[in-house]
Each structure stands twice: as C-alpha cells, then as structure tokens.
Amino acid sequence: MRRVGDWLTTPVPLGRVAAFRTVAYLLVAADVVFFTGWLRGRTAVSGELYAPLLVGRMLPLPTPNAALVTTLFWVLLAATLAAATGRAPRLLGWTVLALYFEWLVIAFSYGKVDHDRFGILVALAVLPTVGRARHGDLTPSAAAGWALRATQLAVIATYFLAAWAKLRYGGLDWLTGATLARAVIRRGTFASDWLLDVPVLLVIGQFGIMAFELTSPLVFVLRGRARYAMIGFFYVFHAVTWSAITISFMPHQAAMTSFLPLERVRPVVWVRRRLTRARSGPLGVPVSPAGPVAPPPAVPPPVAVAVAVAGVAEPGPPPVEDAGGAGGAGGSGAAERAGGGN
C-alpha cells in the first residue's frame, strides 16, 4: 500500500499545477460561454419540463428559472476568471467547483450527460487542496502530485469506462454494427461523408476505438517520450473525431494536459523576452522612437588624456645617461665609499 501511496503522491513542480489550474479554470469559463451557453435560453421553458438527474433529486437544488441561471452564469464566470489568476486558490477553487457542478446538473437534466466533463470536474475538486502555486516554480510538491494524479486517473477512466459501457449496453453489435455510420449520417462532415461508401472502414474504426479505450491505462506504465507519444495519440484521436463527426471533447482535452510538463510553458516570460529583444534591436543596441541609440564612446585612461593635452608622447622608460653624467658620478661615489670602507 505504501508503494501505491507513493505513486499517487509523486511530487511534481508547483509550477506545473499552477499552469494546469489556469488551463482548467479558463476551460470552465469557455464552457459556460460557448459549449453550454445554450442553457441561458433553455430556462424560458416551463419548469415542468425540467427532469433533474439523480444527484439533483438527492440534493435540495431548486428548479432553475431565468433569474437563477443568469445569476449563476455571471457569478460563475467572474469566479473562474479570478481563479485562473491563482489568487485565493482555496476559496475561489471551492466556489467554482460548487457553481460549475450546479451548472452541469441543470444542463444535463435537460438532455444527455456528457462524460467528457468527468476529468475536469475531478480536477476542480482536487485543485483547491494544493494551495498557492506560482507559475515556473520548480519546487516539488506531493500535494500537487496528488492533484494531477487524481485528474489523470479520471481522464483514463473516461476512456476505459466508455469502452465498458459500449460492451455492456451495445455488446458485440457496437463493434460489428453501423455505430459510426449512424454518427456520420447525423453529424458527418466533408472529411467523413465519403466513408459511407466504404462501410468496412467504419467497422475497422469501431474495433480501433475499442482497442484504444481498453488499452488506455497503459499510459501509466510508459515513461518519457513513449508516454508523451501516447498522449499525443490521444489528442490526434480527438482531432480526427472532431473533424469527422464534430465532437470536440474539449473539457476532456483540457484535463488531459495534466500529463504534460506545463511548468515549462511560460507565455508571460516569452512575451517579456520578445519585447526586450524588440526594444534592444537585432544587435542588442537599445532602440528609441528616433532610431537606434549609439553606444557611449570608450573613455581613455587618465594618463593618455593628460599626455594628449600636454602635446607630448607618453612617458617611456628613463633614458640611459652617458659616462660623464650622473652615471659616472654615481660610479665614483661608489668607489669612494668602497675605499672608505677599506
């Protein structure tokens, strides 16, 4: 059990969870504005058409109306944008979790439950437990490791349990039937409509999706580049799905960034560097609105300045005097002292 606990709480840099927190909260803001923004108009219908989910029946949640949903929208949007800055991570984190949970309960009670929100909901539940974290901080933290690991498990569970649901409710017919053909007929694009003329490729794709989802837990066994390659394949899969049947899975893809070394992504630092280089010019020379600023002239040494002012050459070594000068006198004085010594 200790090894399991160590694996669940493997320390990661605080900067990684700080960057992931920004991604997660910005995704929530985008979700309520774009992906589930239709909810603001749905409340115009009678409350009798509202069929709450099981959790909505278990909790004392009110029947939504226009005033409730509008207030929820603006408060949730403001809270997510504030939380994305990293300020008050616990207070704002728990607030966003509660409000977004209520938002999804209302949205899903009007129709189907989108399982692509599972990973991001788990992320919102564990991020407040980390506390403060700064972008670029390389300090290892077990709390940050636990938050990211829990999100990773939710991401992979979304794949694996989706495969289990397909086999449980659809059986082998999901693999051999017209599952993808029906999806292409309903939501197809120019990139996938031609597949209706080659149905065998759609059946092969169904087997491929099942194999991909059942083997997705292998990502926890892989290391280094092999793991990043598998994560890259996940993103390619969702890109193909979106281009073929316009299912984006964007909240799930945001949660999947928990696998990436986000502490290396420093957009603010990059922008500052580019601005600094732009101000310095291509050769490192400062640039002003009037043009490049010339570097200051080199300051000559004081001796050279004094000599230049006097109009003489710089002093060199002392000249050698002739035999009849001071050298000779010095020599005779030395002889006399030598004689006096004797």
mmCIF file of all heavy atoms in Angstrom, residues 232-280:
data_model
loop_
_atom_site.group_PDB
_atom_site.id
_atom_site.type_symbol
_atom_site.label_atom_id
_atom_site.label_comp_id
_atom_site.label_asym_id
_atom_site.label_seq_id
_atom_site.Cartn_x
_atom_site.Cartn_y
_atom_site.Cartn_z
ATOM 1 N N GLY A 232 0.079 12.214 -27.167
ATOM 2 C CA GLY A 232 -0.086 12.837 -28.471
ATOM 3 C C GLY A 232 -1.090 12.089 -29.337
ATOM 4 O O GLY A 232 -1.881 12.708 -30.057
ATOM 5 N N PHE A 233 -1.069 10.764 -29.247
ATOM 6 C CA PHE A 233 -2.055 9.972 -29.989
ATOM 7 C C PHE A 233 -3.463 10.258 -29.499
ATOM 8 O O PHE A 233 -4.408 10.323 -30.301
ATOM 9 C CB PHE A 233 -1.750 8.478 -29.846
ATOM 10 C CG PHE A 233 -2.811 7.588 -30.432
ATOM 11 C CD1 PHE A 233 -2.890 7.386 -31.795
ATOM 12 C CD2 PHE A 233 -3.750 6.966 -29.611
ATOM 13 C CE1 PHE A 233 -3.875 6.570 -32.338
ATOM 14 C CE2 PHE A 233 -4.740 6.157 -30.137
ATOM 15 C CZ PHE A 233 -4.803 5.953 -31.512
ATOM 16 N N PHE A 234 -3.630 10.441 -28.183
ATOM 17 C CA PHE A 234 -4.951 10.796 -27.652
ATOM 18 C C PHE A 234 -5.465 12.085 -28.302
ATOM 19 O O PHE A 234 -6.625 12.176 -28.713
ATOM 20 C CB PHE A 234 -4.885 10.994 -26.134
ATOM 21 C CG PHE A 234 -4.618 9.736 -25.356
ATOM 22 C CD1 PHE A 234 -4.309 9.794 -23.999
ATOM 23 C CD2 PHE A 234 -4.655 8.496 -25.954
ATOM 24 C CE1 PHE A 234 -4.063 8.658 -23.279
ATOM 25 C CE2 PHE A 234 -4.400 7.330 -25.233
ATOM 26 C CZ PHE A 234 -4.097 7.413 -23.892
ATOM 27 N N TYR A 235 -4.596 13.078 -28.388
ATOM 28 C CA TYR A 235 -5.001 14.358 -28.976
ATOM 29 C C TYR A 235 -5.304 14.212 -30.465
ATOM 30 O O TYR A 235 -6.242 14.834 -30.987
ATOM 31 C CB TYR A 235 -3.923 15.416 -28.754
ATOM 32 C CG TYR A 235 -3.961 16.043 -27.381
ATOM 33 C CD1 TYR A 235 -3.010 15.738 -26.421
ATOM 34 C CD2 TYR A 235 -4.967 16.948 -27.039
ATOM 35 C CE1 TYR A 235 -3.053 16.307 -25.154
ATOM 36 C CE2 TYR A 235 -5.021 17.524 -25.790
ATOM 37 C CZ TYR A 235 -4.062 17.196 -24.843
ATOM 38 O OH TYR A 235 -4.117 17.762 -23.600
ATOM 39 N N VAL A 236 -4.529 13.401 -31.160
ATOM 40 C CA VAL A 236 -4.795 13.166 -32.580
ATOM 41 C C VAL A 236 -6.152 12.484 -32.750
ATOM 42 O O VAL A 236 -6.931 12.820 -33.656
ATOM 43 C CB VAL A 236 -3.669 12.325 -33.206
ATOM 44 C CG1 VAL A 236 -4.055 11.877 -34.619
ATOM 45 C CG2 VAL A 236 -2.370 13.119 -33.246
ATOM 46 N N PHE A 237 -6.451 11.540 -31.872
ATOM 47 C CA PHE A 237 -7.738 10.853 -31.928
ATOM 48 C C PHE A 237 -8.895 11.845 -31.809
ATOM 49 O O PHE A 237 -9.877 11.777 -32.560
ATOM 50 C CB PHE A 237 -7.812 9.812 -30.810
ATOM 51 C CG PHE A 237 -9.181 9.243 -30.593
ATOM 52 C CD1 PHE A 237 -9.701 8.283 -31.449
ATOM 53 C CD2 PHE A 237 -9.970 9.673 -29.528
ATOM 54 C CE1 PHE A 237 -10.972 7.765 -31.258
ATOM 55 C CE2 PHE A 237 -11.237 9.165 -29.323
ATOM 56 C CZ PHE A 237 -11.744 8.205 -30.185
ATOM 57 N N HIS A 238 -8.777 12.782 -30.875
ATOM 58 C CA HIS A 238 -9.861 13.748 -30.691
ATOM 59 C C HIS A 238 -9.925 14.744 -31.851
ATOM 60 O O HIS A 238 -11.011 15.218 -32.204
ATOM 61 C CB HIS A 238 -9.683 14.474 -29.361
ATOM 62 C CG HIS A 238 -9.958 13.599 -28.177
ATOM 63 N ND1 HIS A 238 -11.201 13.084 -27.895
ATOM 64 C CD2 HIS A 238 -9.129 13.127 -27.203
ATOM 65 C CE1 HIS A 238 -11.146 12.347 -26.799
ATOM 66 N NE2 HIS A 238 -9.897 12.350 -26.361
ATOM 67 N N ALA A 239 -8.776 15.059 -32.438
ATOM 68 C CA ALA A 239 -8.784 15.937 -33.609
ATOM 69 C C ALA A 239 -9.502 15.265 -34.782
ATOM 70 O O ALA A 239 -10.293 15.897 -35.494
ATOM 71 C CB ALA A 239 -7.356 16.305 -33.995
ATOM 72 N N VAL A 240 -9.246 13.977 -34.972
ATOM 73 C CA VAL A 240 -9.918 13.236 -36.039
ATOM 74 C C VAL A 240 -11.414 13.127 -35.755
ATOM 75 O O VAL A 240 -12.249 13.278 -36.652
ATOM 76 C CB VAL A 240 -9.280 11.845 -36.199
ATOM 77 C CG1 VAL A 240 -10.075 10.988 -37.173
ATOM 78 C CG2 VAL A 240 -7.832 11.975 -36.678
ATOM 79 N N THR A 241 -11.762 12.861 -34.488
ATOM 80 C CA THR A 241 -13.173 12.758 -34.120
ATOM 81 C C THR A 241 -13.910 14.062 -34.384
ATOM 82 O O THR A 241 -15.031 14.070 -34.905
ATOM 83 C CB THR A 241 -13.296 12.377 -32.633
ATOM 84 O OG1 THR A 241 -12.609 11.145 -32.396
ATOM 85 C CG2 THR A 241 -14.747 12.213 -32.227
ATOM 86 N N TRP A 242 -13.267 15.172 -34.033
ATOM 87 C CA TRP A 242 -13.909 16.461 -34.271
ATOM 88 C C TRP A 242 -14.075 16.737 -35.762
ATOM 89 O O TRP A 242 -15.116 17.227 -36.204
ATOM 90 C CB TRP A 242 -13.090 17.577 -33.628
ATOM 91 C CG TRP A 242 -13.677 18.929 -33.863
ATOM 92 C CD1 TRP A 242 -14.711 19.523 -33.183
ATOM 93 C CD2 TRP A 242 -13.286 19.855 -34.879
ATOM 94 N NE1 TRP A 242 -14.987 20.764 -33.708
ATOM 95 C CE2 TRP A 242 -14.126 20.998 -34.748
ATOM 96 C CE3 TRP A 242 -12.312 19.847 -35.863
ATOM 97 C CZ2 TRP A 242 -14.013 22.103 -35.574
ATOM 98 C CZ3 TRP A 242 -12.207 20.941 -36.695
ATOM 99 C CH2 TRP A 242 -13.036 22.061 -36.548
ATOM 100 N N SER A 243 -13.056 16.438 -36.542
ATOM 101 C CA SER A 243 -13.137 16.713 -37.976
ATOM 102 C C SER A 243 -14.123 15.782 -38.678
ATOM 103 O O SER A 243 -14.676 16.143 -39.721
ATOM 104 C CB SER A 243 -11.751 16.567 -38.624
ATOM 105 O OG SER A 243 -11.287 15.226 -38.517
ATOM 106 N N ALA A 244 -14.375 14.593 -38.098
ATOM 107 C CA ALA A 244 -15.252 13.621 -38.749
ATOM 108 C C ALA A 244 -16.708 13.754 -38.327
ATOM 109 O O ALA A 244 -17.616 13.724 -39.163
ATOM 110 C CB ALA A 244 -14.763 12.203 -38.470
ATOM 111 N N ILE A 245 -16.957 13.920 -37.015
ATOM 112 C CA ILE A 245 -18.339 13.961 -36.530
ATOM 113 C C ILE A 245 -18.572 15.120 -35.562
ATOM 114 O O ILE A 245 -19.536 15.115 -34.799
ATOM 115 C CB ILE A 245 -18.740 12.618 -35.866
ATOM 116 C CG1 ILE A 245 -17.730 12.213 -34.791
ATOM 117 C CG2 ILE A 245 -18.865 11.524 -36.904
ATOM 118 C CD1 ILE A 245 -18.100 10.928 -34.053
ATOM 119 N N THR A 246 -17.689 16.107 -35.569
ATOM 120 C CA THR A 246 -17.833 17.370 -34.817
ATOM 121 C C THR A 246 -18.092 17.157 -33.329
ATOM 122 O O THR A 246 -18.892 17.867 -32.712
ATOM 123 C CB THR A 246 -18.963 18.233 -35.424
ATOM 124 O OG1 THR A 246 -20.217 17.541 -35.303
ATOM 125 C CG2 THR A 246 -18.680 18.562 -36.868
ATOM 126 N N ILE A 247 -17.429 16.178 -32.734
ATOM 127 C CA ILE A 247 -17.440 16.002 -31.279
ATOM 128 C C ILE A 247 -16.061 16.416 -30.782
ATOM 129 O O ILE A 247 -15.066 15.762 -31.092
ATOM 130 C CB ILE A 247 -17.756 14.548 -30.881
ATOM 131 C CG1 ILE A 247 -19.172 14.185 -31.327
ATOM 132 C CG2 ILE A 247 -17.601 14.358 -29.385
ATOM 133 C CD1 ILE A 247 -19.571 12.751 -31.019
ATOM 134 N N SER A 248 -16.000 17.484 -30.006
ATOM 135 C CA SER A 248 -14.702 18.079 -29.677
ATOM 136 C C SER A 248 -14.064 17.485 -28.428
ATOM 137 O O SER A 248 -12.850 17.390 -28.339
ATOM 138 C CB SER A 248 -14.858 19.586 -29.477
ATOM 139 O OG SER A 248 -15.621 19.857 -28.312
ATOM 140 N N PHE A 249 -14.863 17.130 -27.405
ATOM 141 C CA PHE A 249 -14.314 16.633 -26.137
ATOM 142 C C PHE A 249 -13.339 17.639 -25.530
ATOM 143 O O PHE A 249 -12.346 17.269 -24.912
ATOM 144 C CB PHE A 249 -13.618 15.292 -26.346
ATOM 145 C CG PHE A 249 -14.378 14.127 -25.787
ATOM 146 C CD1 PHE A 249 -15.663 13.830 -26.218
ATOM 147 C CD2 PHE A 249 -13.812 13.314 -24.810
ATOM 148 C CE1 PHE A 249 -16.353 12.764 -25.697
ATOM 149 C CE2 PHE A 249 -14.502 12.241 -24.294
ATOM 150 C CZ PHE A 249 -15.783 11.957 -24.731
ATOM 151 N N MET A 250 -13.611 18.920 -25.685
ATOM 152 C CA MET A 250 -12.668 19.943 -25.252
ATOM 153 C C MET A 250 -12.417 19.937 -23.744
ATOM 154 O O MET A 250 -11.256 20.054 -23.316
ATOM 155 C CB MET A 250 -13.158 21.319 -25.708
ATOM 156 C CG MET A 250 -12.101 22.408 -25.579
ATOM 157 S SD MET A 250 -10.642 22.051 -26.587
ATOM 158 C CE MET A 250 -11.336 22.197 -28.228
ATOM 159 N N PRO A 251 -13.431 19.794 -22.877
ATOM 160 C CA PRO A 251 -13.136 19.720 -21.437
ATOM 161 C C PRO A 251 -12.225 18.557 -21.090
ATOM 162 O O PRO A 251 -11.324 18.683 -20.239
ATOM 163 C CB PRO A 251 -14.517 19.566 -20.794
ATOM 164 C CG PRO A 251 -15.461 20.158 -21.787
ATOM 165 C CD PRO A 251 -14.897 19.819 -23.128
ATOM 166 N N HIS A 252 -12.429 17.438 -21.747
ATOM 167 C CA HIS A 252 -11.570 16.272 -21.500
ATOM 168 C C HIS A 252 -10.138 16.540 -21.954
ATOM 169 O O HIS A 252 -9.180 16.162 -21.269
ATOM 170 C CB HIS A 252 -12.142 15.066 -22.241
ATOM 171 C CG HIS A 252 -11.337 13.819 -22.092
ATOM 172 N ND1 HIS A 252 -11.433 12.994 -20.995
ATOM 173 C CD2 HIS A 252 -10.400 13.257 -22.900
ATOM 174 C CE1 HIS A 252 -10.603 11.972 -21.132
ATOM 175 N NE2 HIS A 252 -9.959 12.119 -22.282
ATOM 176 N N GLN A 253 -9.984 17.203 -23.082
ATOM 177 C CA GLN A 253 -8.646 17.508 -23.569
ATOM 178 C C GLN A 253 -7.926 18.484 -22.641
ATOM 179 O O GLN A 253 -6.704 18.408 -22.472
ATOM 180 C CB GLN A 253 -8.729 18.075 -24.982
ATOM 181 C CG GLN A 253 -9.251 17.096 -26.013
ATOM 182 C CD GLN A 253 -9.179 17.653 -27.414
ATOM 183 O OE1 GLN A 253 -8.106 17.978 -27.920
ATOM 184 N NE2 GLN A 253 -10.326 17.760 -28.078
ATOM 185 N N ALA A 254 -8.673 19.412 -22.055
ATOM 186 C CA ALA A 254 -8.053 20.311 -21.084
ATOM 187 C C ALA A 254 -7.575 19.539 -19.863
ATOM 188 O O ALA A 254 -6.473 19.776 -19.352
ATOM 189 C CB ALA A 254 -9.042 21.397 -20.673
ATOM 190 N N ALA A 255 -8.379 18.601 -19.381
ATOM 191 C CA ALA A 255 -7.968 17.784 -18.238
ATOM 192 C C ALA A 255 -6.765 16.916 -18.585
ATOM 193 O O ALA A 255 -5.925 16.615 -17.722
ATOM 194 C CB ALA A 255 -9.135 16.916 -17.773
ATOM 195 N N MET A 256 -6.636 16.533 -19.839
ATOM 196 C CA MET A 256 -5.538 15.674 -20.261
ATOM 197 C C MET A 256 -4.190 16.387 -20.224
ATOM 198 O O MET A 256 -3.135 15.736 -20.221
ATOM 199 C CB MET A 256 -5.824 15.141 -21.662
ATOM 200 C CG MET A 256 -5.025 13.924 -22.057
ATOM 201 S SD MET A 256 -5.836 12.996 -23.380
ATOM 202 C CE MET A 256 -5.990 14.249 -24.657
ATOM 203 N N THR A 257 -4.175 17.703 -20.165
ATOM 204 C CA THR A 257 -2.902 18.418 -20.041
ATOM 205 C C THR A 257 -2.234 18.151 -18.694
ATOM 206 O O THR A 257 -1.083 18.548 -18.504
ATOM 207 C CB THR A 257 -3.107 19.932 -20.214
ATOM 208 O OG1 THR A 257 -4.001 20.412 -19.202
ATOM 209 C CG2 THR A 257 -3.672 20.260 -21.579
ATOM 210 N N SER A 258 -2.924 17.478 -17.784
ATOM 211 C CA SER A 258 -2.313 17.104 -16.503
ATOM 212 C C SER A 258 -1.151 16.134 -16.697
ATOM 213 O O SER A 258 -0.342 15.945 -15.785
ATOM 214 C CB SER A 258 -3.353 16.479 -15.576
ATOM 215 O OG SER A 258 -3.956 15.327 -16.173
ATOM 216 N N PHE A 259 -1.056 15.525 -17.864
ATOM 217 C CA PHE A 259 0.060 14.623 -18.167
ATOM 218 C C PHE A 259 1.297 15.373 -18.670
ATOM 219 O O PHE A 259 2.368 14.764 -18.783
ATOM 220 C CB PHE A 259 -0.352 13.604 -19.228
ATOM 221 C CG PHE A 259 -1.215 12.486 -18.730
ATOM 222 C CD1 PHE A 259 -2.585 12.545 -18.874
ATOM 223 C CD2 PHE A 259 -0.660 11.374 -18.126
ATOM 224 C CE1 PHE A 259 -3.397 11.509 -18.429
ATOM 225 C CE2 PHE A 259 -1.446 10.339 -17.672
ATOM 226 C CZ PHE A 259 -2.832 10.401 -17.822
ATOM 227 N N LEU A 260 1.177 16.637 -18.984
ATOM 228 C CA LEU A 260 2.242 17.364 -19.671
ATOM 229 C C LEU A 260 3.078 18.197 -18.693
ATOM 230 O O LEU A 260 2.569 18.646 -17.662
ATOM 231 C CB LEU A 260 1.637 18.272 -20.746
ATOM 232 C CG LEU A 260 0.752 17.574 -21.772
ATOM 233 C CD1 LEU A 260 0.182 18.583 -22.753
ATOM 234 C CD2 LEU A 260 1.522 16.476 -22.513
ATOM 235 N N PRO A 261 4.348 18.436 -19.013
ATOM 236 C CA PRO A 261 5.211 19.284 -18.163
ATOM 237 C C PRO A 261 4.899 20.760 -18.367
ATOM 238 O O PRO A 261 5.687 21.510 -18.951
ATOM 239 C CB PRO A 261 6.624 18.915 -18.629
ATOM 240 C CG PRO A 261 6.453 18.521 -20.057
ATOM 241 C CD PRO A 261 5.094 17.859 -20.148
ATOM 242 N N LEU A 262 3.780 21.190 -17.865
ATOM 243 C CA LEU A 262 3.312 22.545 -18.113
ATOM 244 C C LEU A 262 4.166 23.612 -17.458
ATOM 245 O O LEU A 262 4.054 24.791 -17.813
ATOM 246 C CB LEU A 262 1.860 22.683 -17.623
ATOM 247 C CG LEU A 262 0.823 21.806 -18.324
ATOM 248 C CD1 LEU A 262 -0.551 22.019 -17.705
ATOM 249 C CD2 LEU A 262 0.781 22.102 -19.819
ATOM 250 N N GLU A 263 4.997 23.226 -16.487
ATOM 251 C CA GLU A 263 5.837 24.241 -15.851
ATOM 252 C C GLU A 263 6.830 24.859 -16.834
ATOM 253 O O GLU A 263 7.376 25.935 -16.578
ATOM 254 C CB GLU A 263 6.591 23.633 -14.667
ATOM 255 C CG GLU A 263 7.697 22.660 -15.024
ATOM 256 C CD GLU A 263 7.205 21.253 -15.259
ATOM 257 O OE1 GLU A 263 5.963 21.053 -15.316
ATOM 258 O OE2 GLU A 263 8.028 20.334 -15.384
ATOM 259 N N ARG A 264 7.064 24.191 -17.962
ATOM 260 C CA ARG A 264 7.970 24.728 -18.978
ATOM 261 C C ARG A 264 7.282 25.761 -19.876
ATOM 262 O O ARG A 264 7.960 26.445 -20.640
ATOM 263 C CB ARG A 264 8.501 23.593 -19.846
ATOM 264 C CG ARG A 264 9.243 22.507 -19.057
ATOM 265 C CD ARG A 264 9.703 21.403 -19.986
ATOM 266 N NE ARG A 264 10.308 20.291 -19.260
ATOM 267 C CZ ARG A 264 10.738 19.169 -19.839
ATOM 268 N NH1 ARG A 264 10.631 19.032 -21.145
ATOM 269 N NH2 ARG A 264 11.260 18.199 -19.100
ATOM 270 N N VAL A 265 5.981 25.830 -19.812
ATOM 271 C CA VAL A 265 5.231 26.770 -20.643
ATOM 272 C C VAL A 265 5.085 28.069 -19.867
ATOM 273 O O VAL A 265 4.364 28.141 -18.883
ATOM 274 C CB VAL A 265 3.848 26.193 -21.007
ATOM 275 C CG1 VAL A 265 3.096 27.171 -21.906
ATOM 276 C CG2 VAL A 265 3.989 24.838 -21.667
ATOM 277 N N ARG A 266 5.795 29.109 -20.312
ATOM 278 C CA ARG A 266 5.793 30.402 -19.629
ATOM 279 C C ARG A 266 5.459 31.502 -20.630
ATOM 280 O O ARG A 266 6.340 32.258 -21.056
ATOM 281 C CB ARG A 266 7.167 30.664 -18.992
ATOM 282 C CG ARG A 266 7.670 29.571 -18.035
ATOM 283 C CD ARG A 266 6.905 29.576 -16.738
ATOM 284 N NE ARG A 266 6.943 30.872 -16.098
ATOM 285 C CZ ARG A 266 7.988 31.317 -15.381
ATOM 286 N NH1 ARG A 266 9.061 30.569 -15.237
ATOM 287 N NH2 ARG A 266 7.933 32.501 -14.798
ATOM 288 N N PRO A 267 4.216 31.632 -21.048
ATOM 289 C CA PRO A 267 3.895 32.625 -22.084
ATOM 290 C C PRO A 267 4.211 34.053 -21.667
ATOM 291 O O PRO A 267 4.630 34.864 -22.497
ATOM 292 C CB PRO A 267 2.382 32.423 -22.304
ATOM 293 C CG PRO A 267 1.897 31.738 -21.063
ATOM 294 C CD PRO A 267 3.041 30.889 -20.603
ATOM 295 N N VAL A 268 4.013 34.383 -20.389
ATOM 296 C CA VAL A 268 4.301 35.750 -19.945
ATOM 297 C C VAL A 268 5.792 36.050 -20.074
ATOM 298 O O VAL A 268 6.197 37.127 -20.536
ATOM 299 C CB VAL A 268 3.829 35.948 -18.495
ATOM 300 C CG1 VAL A 268 4.221 37.337 -17.997
ATOM 301 C CG2 VAL A 268 2.316 35.756 -18.400
ATOM 302 N N VAL A 269 6.623 35.082 -19.678
ATOM 303 C CA VAL A 269 8.074 35.261 -19.788
ATOM 304 C C VAL A 269 8.484 35.380 -21.245
ATOM 305 O O VAL A 269 9.335 36.204 -21.605
ATOM 306 C CB VAL A 269 8.800 34.086 -19.112
ATOM 307 C CG1 VAL A 269 10.311 34.179 -19.330
ATOM 308 C CG2 VAL A 269 8.500 34.067 -17.612
ATOM 309 N N TRP A 270 7.859 34.575 -22.102
ATOM 310 C CA TRP A 270 8.199 34.637 -23.528
ATOM 311 C C TRP A 270 7.859 36.008 -24.109
ATOM 312 O O TRP A 270 8.625 36.567 -24.889
ATOM 313 C CB TRP A 270 7.452 33.536 -24.287
ATOM 314 C CG TRP A 270 7.852 32.151 -23.891
ATOM 315 C CD1 TRP A 270 8.984 31.784 -23.202
ATOM 316 C CD2 TRP A 270 7.136 30.945 -24.145
ATOM 317 N NE1 TRP A 270 9.013 30.429 -23.010
ATOM 318 C CE2 TRP A 270 7.893 29.879 -23.582
ATOM 319 C CE3 TRP A 270 5.938 30.655 -24.780
ATOM 320 C CZ2 TRP A 270 7.473 28.560 -23.650
ATOM 321 C CZ3 TRP A 270 5.527 29.333 -24.852
ATOM 322 C CH2 TRP A 270 6.282 28.304 -24.302
ATOM 323 N N VAL A 271 6.709 36.536 -23.739
ATOM 324 C CA VAL A 271 6.312 37.849 -24.253
ATOM 325 C C VAL A 271 7.285 38.917 -23.767
ATOM 326 O O VAL A 271 7.700 39.808 -24.527
ATOM 327 C CB VAL A 271 4.869 38.177 -23.826
ATOM 328 C CG1 VAL A 271 4.530 39.628 -24.153
ATOM 329 C CG2 VAL A 271 3.889 37.235 -24.511
ATOM 330 N N ARG A 272 7.675 38.855 -22.498
ATOM 331 C CA ARG A 272 8.624 39.822 -21.969
ATOM 332 C C ARG A 272 9.952 39.754 -22.713
ATOM 333 O O ARG A 272 10.560 40.786 -23.021
ATOM 334 C CB ARG A 272 8.840 39.572 -20.479
ATOM 335 C CG ARG A 272 7.645 39.973 -19.606
ATOM 336 C CD ARG A 272 7.908 39.607 -18.172
ATOM 337 N NE ARG A 272 6.789 39.979 -17.309
ATOM 338 C CZ ARG A 272 6.695 39.638 -16.025
ATOM 339 N NH1 ARG A 272 7.665 38.902 -15.463
ATOM 340 N NH2 ARG A 272 5.642 40.000 -15.317
ATOM 341 N N ARG A 273 10.432 38.560 -23.005
ATOM 342 C CA ARG A 273 11.695 38.417 -23.719
ATOM 343 C C ARG A 273 11.601 39.012 -25.118
ATOM 344 O O ARG A 273 12.523 39.684 -25.583
ATOM 345 C CB ARG A 273 12.083 36.944 -23.794
ATOM 346 C CG ARG A 273 12.551 36.367 -22.453
ATOM 347 C CD ARG A 273 12.840 34.892 -22.590
ATOM 348 N NE ARG A 273 13.303 34.308 -21.326
ATOM 349 C CZ ARG A 273 13.492 33.006 -21.132
ATOM 350 N NH1 ARG A 273 13.266 32.159 -22.123
ATOM 351 N NH2 ARG A 273 13.902 32.564 -19.950
ATOM 352 N N ARG A 274 10.481 38.759 -25.792
ATOM 353 C CA ARG A 274 10.333 39.293 -27.139
ATOM 354 C C ARG A 274 10.262 40.815 -27.121
ATOM 355 O O ARG A 274 10.826 41.486 -27.992
ATOM 356 C CB ARG A 274 9.075 38.710 -27.792
ATOM 357 C CG ARG A 274 9.172 37.230 -28.105
ATOM 358 C CD ARG A 274 7.951 36.749 -28.871
ATOM 359 N NE ARG A 274 7.901 37.354 -30.186
ATOM 360 C CZ ARG A 274 8.488 36.853 -31.268
ATOM 361 N NH1 ARG A 274 9.206 35.737 -31.168
ATOM 362 N NH2 ARG A 274 8.383 37.458 -32.431
ATOM 363 N N LEU A 275 9.589 41.368 -26.127
ATOM 364 C CA LEU A 275 9.533 42.821 -26.018
ATOM 365 C C LEU A 275 10.907 43.408 -25.730
ATOM 366 O O LEU A 275 11.289 44.444 -26.271
ATOM 367 C CB LEU A 275 8.544 43.224 -24.925
ATOM 368 C CG LEU A 275 7.062 42.952 -25.229
ATOM 369 C CD1 LEU A 275 6.205 43.309 -24.027
ATOM 370 C CD2 LEU A 275 6.604 43.720 -26.458
ATOM 371 N N THR A 276 11.660 42.702 -24.866
ATOM 372 C CA THR A 276 13.007 43.177 -24.555
ATOM 373 C C THR A 276 13.893 43.147 -25.792
ATOM 374 O O THR A 276 14.653 44.088 -26.055
ATOM 375 C CB THR A 276 13.627 42.321 -23.446
ATOM 376 O OG1 THR A 276 12.789 42.391 -22.284
ATOM 377 C CG2 THR A 276 15.020 42.810 -23.088
ATOM 378 N N ARG A 277 13.789 42.076 -26.577
ATOM 379 C CA ARG A 277 14.583 41.994 -27.797
ATOM 380 C C ARG A 277 14.165 43.049 -28.804
ATOM 381 O O ARG A 277 14.990 43.622 -29.516
ATOM 382 C CB ARG A 277 14.438 40.599 -28.410
ATOM 383 C CG ARG A 277 15.096 39.495 -27.575
ATOM 384 C CD ARG A 277 14.786 38.118 -28.142
ATOM 385 N NE ARG A 277 15.366 37.063 -27.337
ATOM 386 C CZ ARG A 277 15.145 35.767 -27.545
ATOM 387 N NH1 ARG A 277 14.350 35.391 -28.542
ATOM 388 N NH2 ARG A 277 15.700 34.866 -26.762
ATOM 389 N N ALA A 278 12.860 43.309 -28.884
ATOM 390 C CA ALA A 278 12.390 44.334 -29.819
ATOM 391 C C ALA A 278 12.901 45.714 -29.430
ATOM 392 O O ALA A 278 13.247 46.528 -30.287
ATOM 393 C CB ALA A 278 10.864 44.323 -29.863
ATOM 394 N N ARG A 279 12.969 45.976 -28.129
ATOM 395 C CA ARG A 279 13.476 47.276 -27.683
ATOM 396 C C ARG A 279 14.976 47.381 -27.863
ATOM 397 O O ARG A 279 15.509 48.475 -28.069
ATOM 398 C CB ARG A 279 13.120 47.482 -26.215
ATOM 399 C CG ARG A 279 11.616 47.645 -25.960
ATOM 400 C CD ARG A 279 11.315 47.614 -24.488
ATOM 401 N NE ARG A 279 9.881 47.720 -24.221
ATOM 402 C CZ ARG A 279 9.333 47.536 -23.032
ATOM 403 N NH1 ARG A 279 10.103 47.245 -21.993
ATOM 404 N NH2 ARG A 279 8.033 47.641 -22.870
ATOM 405 N N SER A 280 15.675 46.248 -27.792
ATOM 406 C CA SER A 280 17.129 46.271 -27.894
ATOM 407 C C SER A 280 17.627 46.260 -29.329
ATOM 408 O O SER A 280 18.783 46.587 -29.586
ATOM 409 C CB SER A 280 17.715 45.055 -27.151
ATOM 410 O OG SER A 280 17.367 45.112 -25.779
#
